[in-house]
Amino acid sequence: MTAFEFPGPGFTAEQWERINALTISLKPGQGLWISGYFAGIDHGARSLLGDIASPSPSDHSVSVAPRAISSRSLTIIFGGETGNSSGLARTLGEVVRRQGLEPILVDMADYKLRKLKDEQDILIVTSTHGEGDPPLSGMSFFEFVESRKAPRLEGVRYGVLALGDSTYERYCEAGKRLDRRLAELGAVRLQDRVDCDVDYEDQAAGWIAAAVAKLAPAASGPDLQNRAAGPASVSSAAVVEAPTFDKHTPFPAAIIDNLVLTGRGSSKETRHIELSLAGSGLAFEPGDALGVMARNDPALVEMLLDKLSLGADANLSGRGFTTTLDVALAEHLEITVATPRFLDQWAELTGASKLQELRGEHQFQARATFLRSHQVIDIVREFPVPGIDAQTFAAGLRPLQPRLYSIASSPSALPDEAHLTIATVRYDLHGQPRAGVASGHFAERGAPDTTIPVYIQANPHFRLPDGDVPIIMIGAGTGVAPYRAFLQEREAQGAAGKSWLVFGERNFSSDFLYQTEWQGFLKDGVLSRMNVAFSRDSATKTYVQHRLIEHARDVYAWLEEGAHVYVCGDGTHLAPDVHAALVGVVQQQRACGKAAANDYIGGLQRDHRYQIDVY
């Protein structure tokens, strides 16, 4: 958080100095909570005073009777892939509780759809997946709300906080869809929708404060003081008990090993990374992800400094940092992918007609096409801004975001370690080689004993069942990573349940990731069955969905035995293709129509027996 300037209203210099020091020390998550909390208190106090003139700082004589707390029920619903939605929903719930309400907090995946008609106040926090799709955990919720089965919602008040990524054309589309649909069903907006980019903290804090203020202004006097004191003590306890390392304070994990998994002649490079978590206190389960705070390519930092004619030692302040420009560009700011925000800023600075023509919602297609072929360095080169200062340049950049990777190891088998399976992203653009931020970091600068900041991102929607329950694991490429963790966990726990791996890649000879390990699991009975599909080993391309169809009878038999099905990998092609194959398997084996087969698969999803983790 940034520091405020003295003087503040009604504070002495000493008091303001203490507040300023506290403000600078806060983590982003703490700042988000406090801003919402005090905004709610401030609104409650002002609502209670009504038309009474505000007393001076020295006037303590005003006495106001407590106002009744709203008796309307409140449900907070969240859906997302990375944990941001659930984190904001929990923050929202805490702020609401401090105002005397008892909200119900529920994941979209677990929401009982029949309850929708009985709701009174609903606040929804949802992310958007890919090009405008709902989060995978919220598919059933969206399908119901957008269907003809959805009830009329007259008398219901609602608000939507939408999370997204502005580099996608259909930015925050999932939140927009819910906002439109709830209004169509007769619900009334309690709070207008806010669309948040990946650096969502400030906008989300404002939305939370405004929504809470409209829900239930707090009572004054001793009651308000008691509620204010209660949260402070709870918050203090939470700070003591919370893990030391998290997204805002990542752990510097040392790289133990960094190996290329793919063989000679492969058309791609996939790496196996082993990281030490010793001494971190970080705990995870198979299915969870590791958030990696990679650093930008030093060569790219140098190129930007050169093209902008800026000194590396120029001072720069931003959210959560005050440092030199070169450090900020390396560790804190996104300097690879250009965003609509950067495009707008650069259009203003340059006045370039080509950039000006790309602005506005009606130009989203042309803008998206341009941004796919132009990164920050390309725009800076083509449209120079002589004399630009560091702070002005950085104003158009968003914070560097962590990259999430499924953990490919089990804590039961390998305590104090986390393994990753990462495909190196390399490509040419405008005649120059480019690389992914995180995958390039590991490939080019991830030598053993170097460190990289990491944290655990829980994934409650991708969990192993009890050890005696059969599992079918479907994945392609690096999507096989969590299944390595699953089988290590089952081996460590002595689980008796059957397991079936369906794995796909390009070529058998060079791309059979972890081949020796799978064969070992088969030999030891940890893995019951394995089918593979290598798409480039024959004239006819074969993928994992084709293997499912070939073995439809066995797939259906496992499902009828209670098997849990997992899909991990590419969300654009793999997930929909596998889903269609599963529907086809059920349709064939049950001799039923497509609608009935969809209902069967939908039942697996509702029972958490069909879990998907895609990127």
Side-chain angles (χ1 to χ4, degrees):
M1 295 183 67
T2 55
F4 297 105
E5 295 182 2
F6 179 79
F11 294 105
T12 66
E14 181 180 1
Q15 289 172 326
W16 194 252
E17 193 173 314
R18 291 179 181 177
I19 292 172
N20 198 32
L22 173 63
T23 303
I24 294 172
S25 70
L26 292 175
K27 300 177 185 178
Q30 293 170 327
L32 175 62
W33 184 90
I34 287 175
S35 64
Y37 173 58
F38 281 111
I41 289 179
D42 175 66
H43 179 91
R46 286 186 281 107
S47 298
L48 289 166
L49 289 174
D51 295 329
I52 299 176
S54 299
S56 66
S58 60
D59 185 358
H60 303 290
S61 61
V62 176
S63 177
V64 183
R67 180 174 175 177
I69 299 299
S70 170
S71 60
R72 293 174 63 90
S73 65
L74 169 64
T75 301
I76 299 171
I77 304 172
F78 62 89
E81 307 295 334
T82 65
N84 293 335
S85 296
S86 60
L88 287 172
R90 286 192 296 271
T91 297
L92 172 59
E94 287 299 313
V95 176
V96 167
R97 289 186 186 94
R98 282 149 178 76
Q99 299 307 303
L101 292 177
E102 287 299 327
I104 296 173
L105 189 67
V106 60
D107 191 315
M108 281 183 187
D110 301 320
Y111 184 77
K112 304 301 182 186
L113 300 175
R114 63 180 180 275
K115 290 184 61 178
L116 187 60
K117 61 182 175 57
D118 300 319
E119 299 287 5
Q120 293 180 321
D121 290 338
I122 307 173
L123 294 178
I124 300 176
V125 184
T126 183
S127 68
T128 294
H129 180 70
E131 290 292 353
D133 295 324
L136 294 172
S137 60
M139 290 295 291
S140 295
F141 181 84
F142 272 76
E143 288 174 1
F144 178 76
V145 170
E146 295 180 331
S147 73
R148 297 179 63 183
K149 297 179 181 179
R152 296 296 301 171
L153 299 177
E154 281 85 0
V156 175
R157 302 186 303 178
Y158 76 96
V160 175
L161 180 62
L163 305 184
D165 183 339
S166 61
T167 59
Y168 287 90
E169 291 179 29
R170 304 186 70 184
Y171 172 54
C172 288
E173 183 62 24
K176 294 174 183 177
R177 284 168 56 178
L178 282 182
D179 188 39
R180 289 192 300 265
R181 182 55 175 162
L182 293 175
E184 291 171 358
L185 294 172
V188 176
R189 289 184 183 88
L190 173 75
Q191 175 63 28
D192 288 342
R193 188 191 77 248
V194 167
D195 299 333
C196 300
D197 206 344
V198 294
D199 50 342
Y200 57 83
E201 286 88 353
D202 290 343
Q203 282 184 293
W207 185 88
I208 288 174
V212 171
K214 292 178 181 178
L215 279 169
S220 66
D223 187 44
L224 175 59
Q225 294 174 5
N226 290 338
R227 285 203 300 275
S233 61
V234 171
S235 179
S236 298
V239 170
V240 172
E241 296 173 5
T244 304
F245 300 103
D246 57 19
K247 181 178 180 180
H248 303 295
T249 310
F251 173 71
I255 296 176
I256 301 170
D257 218 341
N258 184 343
L259 307 170
V260 176
L261 285 177
T262 42
R264 183 179 302 174
S266 176
S267 57
K268 60 197 298 188
E269 178 184 278
T270 302
R271 289 179 172 267
H272 172 79
I273 315 291
E274 298 182 1
L275 298 161
S276 173
L277 302 183
S280 69
L282 293 174
F284 64 91
E285 296 182 47
D288 286 344
L290 194 72
V292 174
M293 313 293 284
R295 300 176 182 89
N296 287 309
D297 185 351
L300 180 57
V301 173
E302 288 295 325
M303 279 191 282
L304 280 171
L305 292 173
D306 178 60
K307 291 300 176 184
L308 296 167
S309 299
L310 291 172
D313 58 352
N315 291 325
L316 186 66
S317 296
R319 182 184 288 116
F321 69 87
T322 298
T323 185
T324 56
L325 179 58
D326 59 341
V327 173
L329 295 181
E331 300 179 8
H332 298 289
L333 297 171
E334 174 62 71
I335 62 172
T336 302
V337 176
T339 65
R341 179 200 305 177
F342 180 79
L343 189 63
D344 283 343
Q345 184 220 29
W346 216 249
E348 290 286 346
L349 291 172
T350 62
S353 58
K354 182 175 179 179
L355 299 182
Q356 295 285 355
E357 291 169 0
L358 296 172
R359 303 176 71 184
E361 290 189 11
H362 61 289
Q363 291 294 332
F364 72 90
Q365 184 66 56
R367 181 170 58 249
T369 300
F370 177 84
L371 291 176
R372 279 195 295 269
S373 62
H374 289 77
Q375 296 181 347
V376 171
I377 185 64
D378 303 314
I379 296 173
V380 167
R381 281 172 173 157
E382 188 173 347
F383 306 96
V385 180
I388 191 172
D389 62 88
Q391 203 72 46
T392 300
F393 171 64
L397 303 175
R398 65 184 186 183
L400 183 61
Q401 296 300 302
R403 272 56 174 176
L404 297 178
Y405 295 101
S406 296
I407 299 175
S409 59
S410 158
S412 298
L414 296 162
D416 293 330
E417 292 185 19
H419 297 181
L420 305 178
T421 311
I422 299 177
T424 305
V425 177
R426 288 196 178 98
Y427 55 99
D428 286 334
L429 186 61
H430 299 293
Q432 290 190 329
R434 312 287 171 105
V437 174
S439 65
H441 179 112
F442 280 115
E444 297 165 16
R445 300 179 298 283
D449 298 326
T450 60
T451 63
I452 189 165
V454 303
Y455 66 95
I456 298 298
Q457 179 61 61
N459 186 5
H461 301 295
F462 209 75
R463 287 280 185 260
L464 274 170
D466 292 337
D468 60 346
V469 176
I471 57 174
I472 303 174
M473 302 167 288
I474 306 163
T478 58
V480 79
Y483 305 143
R484 183 174 183 264
F486 280 9
L487 293 180
Q488 285 183 357
E489 180 73 10
R490 283 203 152 184
E491 182 177 48
Q493 300 298 332
K498 296 191 300 182
S499 57
W500 183 357
L501 175 65
V502 184
F503 169 67
E505 250 294 1
R506 293 181 179 177
N507 299 101
F508 171 84
S509 60
S510 59
D511 303 316
F512 199 164
L513 308 182
Y514 302 115
Q515 177 184 5
T516 303
E517 294 189 37
W518 305 133
Q519 291 172 336
F521 284 133
L522 282 168
K523 180 180 178 181
D524 295 338
V526 179
L527 182 60
S528 309
R529 178 170 179 173
M530 179 169 63
N531 290 98
V532 294
F534 294 99
S535 60
R536 300 190 180 182
D537 277 349
S538 62
T540 303
K541 291 188 176 181
T542 303
Y543 299 104
V544 291
Q545 64 267 24
H546 299 128
R547 295 292 181 238
L548 296 175
I549 294 170
E550 287 173 10
H551 301 283
R553 178 179 297 180
D554 292 342
V555 171
Y556 182 70
W558 280 53
L559 293 179
E560 286 293 280
E561 291 175 26
H564 286 221
V565 182
Y566 300 87
V567 180
C568 185
D570 165 48
T572 304
H573 302 290
L574 174 75
D577 289 345
V578 168
H579 185 89
L582 290 172
V583 170
V585 165
V586 172
Q587 192 173 353
Q588 177 197 102
Q589 295 300 307
R590 291 176 69 92
C592 65
K594 189 172 183 179
N598 275 316
D599 286 343
Y600 183 96
I601 297 298
L604 297 180
Q605 291 175 305
R606 289 189 295 273
D607 295 339
H608 305 297
R609 288 178 51 203
Y610 177 22
Q611 301 182 39
I612 304 172
D613 183 14
V614 296
Y615 39 82

